[in-house]
Short mmCIF file of all heavy atoms in Angstrom, two decimals:
data_model
loop_
_atom_site.label_atom_id
_atom_site.label_comp_id
_atom_site.label_asym_id
_atom_site.label_seq_id
_atom_site.Cartn_x
_atom_site.Cartn_y
_atom_site.Cartn_z
N LEU A 447 -45.44 26.36 6.35
CA LEU A 447 -45.49 26.96 5.02
C LEU A 447 -44.90 25.98 4.01
O LEU A 447 -43.88 25.33 4.29
CB LEU A 447 -44.70 28.27 5.01
CG LEU A 447 -44.84 29.25 3.85
CD1 LEU A 447 -44.44 30.65 4.31
CD2 LEU A 447 -43.96 28.85 2.68
N GLN A 448 -45.52 25.88 2.85
CA GLN A 448 -45.05 24.98 1.80
C GLN A 448 -45.10 25.70 0.45
O GLN A 448 -46.07 26.41 0.15
CB GLN A 448 -45.91 23.72 1.75
CG GLN A 448 -45.38 22.63 0.84
CD GLN A 448 -44.13 21.95 1.40
OE1 GLN A 448 -44.01 21.78 2.61
NE2 GLN A 448 -43.22 21.58 0.52
N VAL A 449 -44.05 25.49 -0.37
CA VAL A 449 -43.98 26.08 -1.71
C VAL A 449 -43.68 24.97 -2.70
O VAL A 449 -42.77 24.15 -2.47
CB VAL A 449 -42.89 27.17 -1.81
CG1 VAL A 449 -42.92 27.82 -3.19
CG2 VAL A 449 -43.07 28.21 -0.72
N TRP A 450 -44.42 24.95 -3.81
CA TRP A 450 -44.15 24.02 -4.90
C TRP A 450 -43.87 24.81 -6.17
O TRP A 450 -44.65 25.69 -6.55
CB TRP A 450 -45.35 23.10 -5.14
CG TRP A 450 -45.63 22.16 -4.02
CD1 TRP A 450 -45.06 20.94 -3.78
CD2 TRP A 450 -46.60 22.34 -2.98
NE1 TRP A 450 -45.60 20.36 -2.66
CE2 TRP A 450 -46.54 21.20 -2.14
CE3 TRP A 450 -47.50 23.37 -2.67
CZ2 TRP A 450 -47.36 21.05 -1.03
CZ3 TRP A 450 -48.30 23.22 -1.56
CH2 TRP A 450 -48.23 22.08 -0.75
N ASP A 451 -42.77 24.48 -6.84
CA ASP A 451 -42.41 25.08 -8.12
C ASP A 451 -42.44 24.01 -9.20
O ASP A 451 -41.74 22.98 -9.09
CB ASP A 451 -41.00 25.69 -8.08
CG ASP A 451 -40.97 27.07 -7.46
OD1 ASP A 451 -42.02 27.74 -7.49
OD2 ASP A 451 -39.91 27.47 -6.95
N GLU A 452 -43.25 24.23 -10.25
CA GLU A 452 -43.24 23.30 -11.37
C GLU A 452 -41.95 23.48 -12.18
O GLU A 452 -41.32 24.54 -12.17
CB GLU A 452 -44.44 23.53 -12.27
CG GLU A 452 -45.77 23.14 -11.62
CD GLU A 452 -46.94 23.31 -12.58
OE1 GLU A 452 -46.82 24.10 -13.52
OE2 GLU A 452 -47.96 22.63 -12.36
N ARG A 453 -41.58 22.41 -12.90
CA ARG A 453 -40.38 22.46 -13.75
C ARG A 453 -40.73 21.85 -15.12
O ARG A 453 -40.28 20.77 -15.49
CB ARG A 453 -39.22 21.73 -13.08
CG ARG A 453 -38.79 22.42 -11.78
CD ARG A 453 -37.51 21.85 -11.23
NE ARG A 453 -37.71 20.53 -10.70
CZ ARG A 453 -36.71 19.67 -10.44
NH1 ARG A 453 -35.47 20.01 -10.71
NH2 ARG A 453 -36.98 18.50 -9.91
N ARG A 454 -41.52 22.62 -15.83
CA ARG A 454 -42.00 22.16 -17.14
C ARG A 454 -40.89 22.24 -18.19
O ARG A 454 -40.14 23.21 -18.24
CB ARG A 454 -43.18 23.02 -17.59
CG ARG A 454 -44.39 22.99 -16.66
CD ARG A 454 -45.45 23.97 -17.14
NE ARG A 454 -46.57 24.06 -16.21
CZ ARG A 454 -47.52 24.99 -16.28
NH1 ARG A 454 -47.46 25.92 -17.24
NH2 ARG A 454 -48.50 25.00 -15.39
N ARG A 455 -40.82 21.19 -19.00
CA ARG A 455 -39.92 21.13 -20.16
C ARG A 455 -38.45 21.33 -19.78
O ARG A 455 -37.66 21.81 -20.58
CB ARG A 455 -40.32 22.16 -21.21
CG ARG A 455 -41.76 21.99 -21.73
CD ARG A 455 -42.02 22.87 -22.93
NE ARG A 455 -41.88 24.29 -22.61
CZ ARG A 455 -42.84 25.04 -22.09
NH1 ARG A 455 -44.02 24.49 -21.81
NH2 ARG A 455 -42.64 26.31 -21.84
N LEU A 456 -38.08 20.97 -18.57
CA LEU A 456 -36.69 21.13 -18.15
C LEU A 456 -35.96 19.79 -18.06
O LEU A 456 -34.77 19.76 -17.68
CB LEU A 456 -36.63 21.82 -16.78
CG LEU A 456 -37.14 23.26 -16.74
CD1 LEU A 456 -37.03 23.82 -15.33
CD2 LEU A 456 -36.34 24.13 -17.71
N GLY A 457 -36.63 18.71 -18.41
CA GLY A 457 -36.01 17.40 -18.38
C GLY A 457 -35.47 16.98 -19.73
O GLY A 457 -35.45 17.77 -20.70
N PRO A 458 -34.99 15.76 -19.85
CA PRO A 458 -34.48 15.25 -21.13
C PRO A 458 -35.53 15.33 -22.24
O PRO A 458 -36.70 15.02 -22.02
CB PRO A 458 -34.14 13.79 -20.80
CG PRO A 458 -33.91 13.78 -19.32
CD PRO A 458 -34.88 14.78 -18.76
N ALA A 459 -35.11 15.81 -23.42
CA ALA A 459 -35.99 15.93 -24.58
C ALA A 459 -37.21 16.79 -24.28
O ALA A 459 -38.29 16.57 -24.83
CB ALA A 459 -36.42 14.55 -25.07
N GLY A 460 -37.07 17.77 -23.41
CA GLY A 460 -38.17 18.69 -23.13
C GLY A 460 -39.25 18.13 -22.24
O GLY A 460 -40.37 18.66 -22.20
N SER A 461 -38.96 17.09 -21.50
CA SER A 461 -39.96 16.50 -20.61
C SER A 461 -40.08 17.31 -19.32
O SER A 461 -39.22 18.13 -18.99
CB SER A 461 -39.56 15.05 -20.26
OG SER A 461 -38.31 15.04 -19.60
N ASP A 462 -41.17 17.07 -18.61
CA ASP A 462 -41.39 17.76 -17.34
C ASP A 462 -40.68 17.02 -16.21
O ASP A 462 -40.70 15.78 -16.16
CB ASP A 462 -42.88 17.85 -17.03
CG ASP A 462 -43.63 18.72 -18.02
OD1 ASP A 462 -42.96 19.49 -18.74
OD2 ASP A 462 -44.87 18.62 -18.07
N LEU A 463 -40.12 17.78 -15.32
CA LEU A 463 -39.49 17.22 -14.13
C LEU A 463 -40.44 17.31 -12.94
O LEU A 463 -41.38 18.11 -12.95
CB LEU A 463 -38.19 17.98 -13.81
CG LEU A 463 -37.03 17.79 -14.78
CD1 LEU A 463 -35.87 18.68 -14.38
CD2 LEU A 463 -36.59 16.33 -14.82
N PRO A 464 -40.21 16.50 -11.91
CA PRO A 464 -41.03 16.61 -10.69
C PRO A 464 -40.92 18.01 -10.09
O PRO A 464 -39.90 18.69 -10.25
CB PRO A 464 -40.43 15.56 -9.76
CG PRO A 464 -39.73 14.61 -10.65
CD PRO A 464 -39.23 15.40 -11.81
N ARG A 465 -41.96 18.42 -9.39
CA ARG A 465 -41.95 19.74 -8.76
C ARG A 465 -40.85 19.85 -7.71
O ARG A 465 -40.50 18.88 -7.05
CB ARG A 465 -43.30 20.02 -8.11
CG ARG A 465 -44.47 20.08 -9.04
CD ARG A 465 -45.75 20.41 -8.27
NE ARG A 465 -46.02 19.45 -7.21
CZ ARG A 465 -47.04 19.54 -6.36
NH1 ARG A 465 -47.89 20.56 -6.47
NH2 ARG A 465 -47.23 18.65 -5.42
N LEU A 466 -40.32 21.04 -7.58
CA LEU A 466 -39.39 21.34 -6.50
C LEU A 466 -40.22 21.71 -5.28
O LEU A 466 -41.07 22.61 -5.33
CB LEU A 466 -38.47 22.49 -6.88
CG LEU A 466 -37.45 22.91 -5.82
CD1 LEU A 466 -36.45 21.79 -5.56
CD2 LEU A 466 -36.73 24.18 -6.25
N SER A 467 -39.98 21.03 -4.17
CA SER A 467 -40.77 21.23 -2.95
C SER A 467 -39.90 21.89 -1.89
O SER A 467 -38.79 21.43 -1.60
CB SER A 467 -41.29 19.89 -2.45
OG SER A 467 -41.98 20.03 -1.23
N VAL A 468 -40.41 22.96 -1.31
CA VAL A 468 -39.71 23.69 -0.26
C VAL A 468 -40.71 23.94 0.86
O VAL A 468 -41.82 24.43 0.61
CB VAL A 468 -39.16 25.04 -0.76
CG1 VAL A 468 -38.31 25.70 0.32
CG2 VAL A 468 -38.39 24.87 -2.05
N GLY A 469 -40.35 23.63 2.09
CA GLY A 469 -41.30 23.82 3.17
C GLY A 469 -40.61 23.98 4.51
O GLY A 469 -39.41 23.71 4.65
N GLY A 470 -41.38 24.40 5.49
CA GLY A 470 -40.80 24.56 6.81
C GLY A 470 -41.85 24.97 7.83
O GLY A 470 -43.03 25.18 7.50
N TRP A 471 -41.42 25.10 9.07
CA TRP A 471 -42.32 25.47 10.16
C TRP A 471 -41.51 26.09 11.29
O TRP A 471 -40.28 25.95 11.35
CB TRP A 471 -43.11 24.28 10.66
CG TRP A 471 -42.27 23.13 11.13
CD1 TRP A 471 -41.86 22.05 10.39
CD2 TRP A 471 -41.71 22.93 12.45
NE1 TRP A 471 -41.09 21.20 11.15
CE2 TRP A 471 -40.97 21.72 12.42
CE3 TRP A 471 -41.74 23.64 13.64
CZ2 TRP A 471 -40.29 21.21 13.52
CZ3 TRP A 471 -41.06 23.17 14.75
CH2 TRP A 471 -40.35 21.96 14.69
N TYR A 472 -42.20 26.75 12.18
CA TYR A 472 -41.59 27.24 13.41
C TYR A 472 -42.64 27.30 14.51
O TYR A 472 -43.84 27.41 14.25
CB TYR A 472 -40.95 28.62 13.22
CG TYR A 472 -41.93 29.75 13.05
CD1 TYR A 472 -42.52 30.37 14.16
CD2 TYR A 472 -42.30 30.21 11.79
CE1 TYR A 472 -43.44 31.39 14.01
CE2 TYR A 472 -43.21 31.23 11.63
CZ TYR A 472 -43.77 31.81 12.74
OH TYR A 472 -44.69 32.83 12.58
N VAL A 473 -42.17 27.24 15.74
CA VAL A 473 -42.99 27.46 16.93
C VAL A 473 -42.20 28.39 17.83
O VAL A 473 -41.00 28.17 18.06
CB VAL A 473 -43.30 26.15 17.67
CG1 VAL A 473 -44.07 26.44 18.96
CG2 VAL A 473 -44.11 25.20 16.79
N SER A 474 -42.84 29.43 18.34
CA SER A 474 -42.15 30.38 19.21
C SER A 474 -43.03 30.73 20.40
O SER A 474 -44.25 30.60 20.35
CB SER A 474 -41.76 31.66 18.45
OG SER A 474 -42.91 32.40 18.08
N SER A 475 -42.38 31.19 21.46
CA SER A 475 -43.10 31.58 22.66
C SER A 475 -42.33 32.69 23.37
O SER A 475 -41.10 32.76 23.29
CB SER A 475 -43.25 30.38 23.60
OG SER A 475 -43.98 30.73 24.76
N THR A 476 -43.07 33.57 24.04
CA THR A 476 -42.45 34.64 24.82
C THR A 476 -43.13 34.75 26.18
O THR A 476 -44.29 34.35 26.35
CB THR A 476 -42.54 36.00 24.11
OG1 THR A 476 -43.93 36.40 24.03
CG2 THR A 476 -41.96 35.94 22.71
N TRP A 477 -42.39 35.32 27.13
CA TRP A 477 -42.92 35.54 28.49
C TRP A 477 -42.36 36.86 29.01
O TRP A 477 -41.14 37.01 29.15
CB TRP A 477 -42.53 34.40 29.42
CG TRP A 477 -42.85 34.64 30.86
CD1 TRP A 477 -43.92 35.32 31.36
CD2 TRP A 477 -42.10 34.20 32.00
NE1 TRP A 477 -43.90 35.35 32.74
CE2 TRP A 477 -42.79 34.65 33.16
CE3 TRP A 477 -40.94 33.46 32.15
CZ2 TRP A 477 -42.33 34.40 34.44
CZ3 TRP A 477 -40.48 33.20 33.43
CH2 TRP A 477 -41.17 33.67 34.56
N VAL A 478 -43.25 37.81 29.26
CA VAL A 478 -42.85 39.09 29.83
C VAL A 478 -42.71 38.89 31.34
O VAL A 478 -43.71 38.88 32.07
CB VAL A 478 -43.86 40.21 29.51
CG1 VAL A 478 -43.33 41.55 30.01
CG2 VAL A 478 -44.13 40.28 28.01
N VAL A 479 -41.50 38.71 31.81
CA VAL A 479 -41.28 38.32 33.20
C VAL A 479 -41.63 39.45 34.18
O VAL A 479 -41.87 39.19 35.37
CB VAL A 479 -39.82 37.87 33.41
CG1 VAL A 479 -39.53 36.63 32.60
CG2 VAL A 479 -38.85 38.98 33.06
N THR A 480 -41.67 40.69 33.70
CA THR A 480 -42.04 41.81 34.57
C THR A 480 -43.55 41.99 34.65
O THR A 480 -44.02 42.90 35.35
CB THR A 480 -41.37 43.10 34.08
OG1 THR A 480 -41.56 43.24 32.67
CG2 THR A 480 -39.88 43.10 34.38
N GLY A 481 -44.33 41.17 33.94
CA GLY A 481 -45.77 41.12 34.13
C GLY A 481 -46.63 41.91 33.18
O GLY A 481 -47.86 41.80 33.22
N GLU A 482 -46.05 42.73 32.28
CA GLU A 482 -46.87 43.50 31.35
C GLU A 482 -47.59 42.59 30.36
O GLU A 482 -47.12 41.49 30.05
CB GLU A 482 -46.00 44.51 30.58
CG GLU A 482 -45.51 45.68 31.38
CD GLU A 482 -44.26 45.39 32.18
OE1 GLU A 482 -43.84 44.20 32.22
OE2 GLU A 482 -43.68 46.33 32.75
N ARG A 483 -48.72 43.04 29.85
CA ARG A 483 -49.47 42.27 28.86
C ARG A 483 -48.74 42.26 27.53
O ARG A 483 -48.14 43.25 27.12
CB ARG A 483 -50.87 42.85 28.67
CG ARG A 483 -51.80 42.66 29.86
CD ARG A 483 -53.18 43.23 29.56
NE ARG A 483 -53.77 42.61 28.39
CZ ARG A 483 -54.42 41.45 28.39
NH1 ARG A 483 -54.55 40.78 29.53
NH2 ARG A 483 -54.94 40.95 27.29
N LYS A 484 -48.83 41.12 26.84
CA LYS A 484 -48.19 40.98 25.54
C LYS A 484 -49.07 41.49 24.41
O LYS A 484 -48.59 42.10 23.46
CB LYS A 484 -47.85 39.51 25.30
CG LYS A 484 -47.23 39.22 23.94
CD LYS A 484 -45.86 39.85 23.80
CE LYS A 484 -45.23 39.43 22.48
NZ LYS A 484 -43.88 40.01 22.30
N ALA A 485 -50.37 41.25 24.49
CA ALA A 485 -51.29 41.63 23.41
C ALA A 485 -51.23 43.13 23.15
O ALA A 485 -51.27 43.94 24.08
CB ALA A 485 -52.72 41.22 23.77
N GLY A 486 -51.12 43.48 21.89
CA GLY A 486 -51.07 44.88 21.51
C GLY A 486 -49.70 45.51 21.63
O GLY A 486 -49.54 46.70 21.35
N GLY A 487 -48.70 44.75 22.05
CA GLY A 487 -47.36 45.29 22.20
C GLY A 487 -47.02 45.57 23.65
O GLY A 487 -47.86 46.05 24.41
N VAL A 488 -45.80 45.23 24.04
CA VAL A 488 -45.37 45.40 25.44
C VAL A 488 -45.06 46.87 25.70
O VAL A 488 -44.31 47.50 24.97
CB VAL A 488 -44.14 44.54 25.73
CG1 VAL A 488 -43.66 44.76 27.17
CG2 VAL A 488 -44.43 43.07 25.48
N GLU A 489 -45.65 47.41 26.76
CA GLU A 489 -45.37 48.79 27.19
C GLU A 489 -44.98 48.75 28.66
O GLU A 489 -45.77 48.37 29.52
CB GLU A 489 -46.57 49.69 26.98
CG GLU A 489 -46.27 51.15 27.31
CD GLU A 489 -47.39 52.09 26.88
OE1 GLU A 489 -48.24 51.67 26.06
OE2 GLU A 489 -47.40 53.22 27.38
N ALA A 490 -43.75 49.15 28.94
CA ALA A 490 -43.22 49.06 30.30
C ALA A 490 -44.03 49.92 31.27
O ALA A 490 -44.34 51.07 30.99
CB ALA A 490 -41.76 49.50 30.31
N ARG A 491 -44.36 49.34 32.44
CA ARG A 491 -45.07 50.10 33.45
C ARG A 491 -44.19 51.22 34.00
O ARG A 491 -44.66 52.32 34.25
CB ARG A 491 -45.48 49.17 34.59
CG ARG A 491 -46.49 48.09 34.23
CD ARG A 491 -47.08 47.50 35.50
NE ARG A 491 -47.90 46.33 35.21
CZ ARG A 491 -47.51 45.08 35.39
NH1 ARG A 491 -46.30 44.85 35.87
NH2 ARG A 491 -48.32 44.07 35.13
#
């Protein structure tokens, strides 16, 4: 995910500043060790 925010007229003498950049990522994994299916939500046997 990435977000850019403009900063118009916030610099010296009302000039524009470079955009503020915010970003990130994640990777996740799960394993139902008791064997139930993950898709649709785990329901215990």
Side-chain angles (χ1 to χ4, degrees):
L447 194 158
Q448 189 71 35
V449 184
W450 294 275
D451 278 336
E452 291 183 337
R453 295 189 289 164
R454 300 175 185 169
R455 301 191 298 275
L456 295 179
S461 60
D462 294 343
L463 291 176
R465 297 182 303 177
L466 180 65
S467 176
V468 186
W471 57 267
Y472 71 83
V473 176
S474 68
S475 181
T476 66
W477 172 34
V478 185
V479 296
T480 48
E482 288 84 352
R483 291 182 58 83
K484 177 66 175 181
V488 178
E489 184 170 344
R491 295 195 188 103

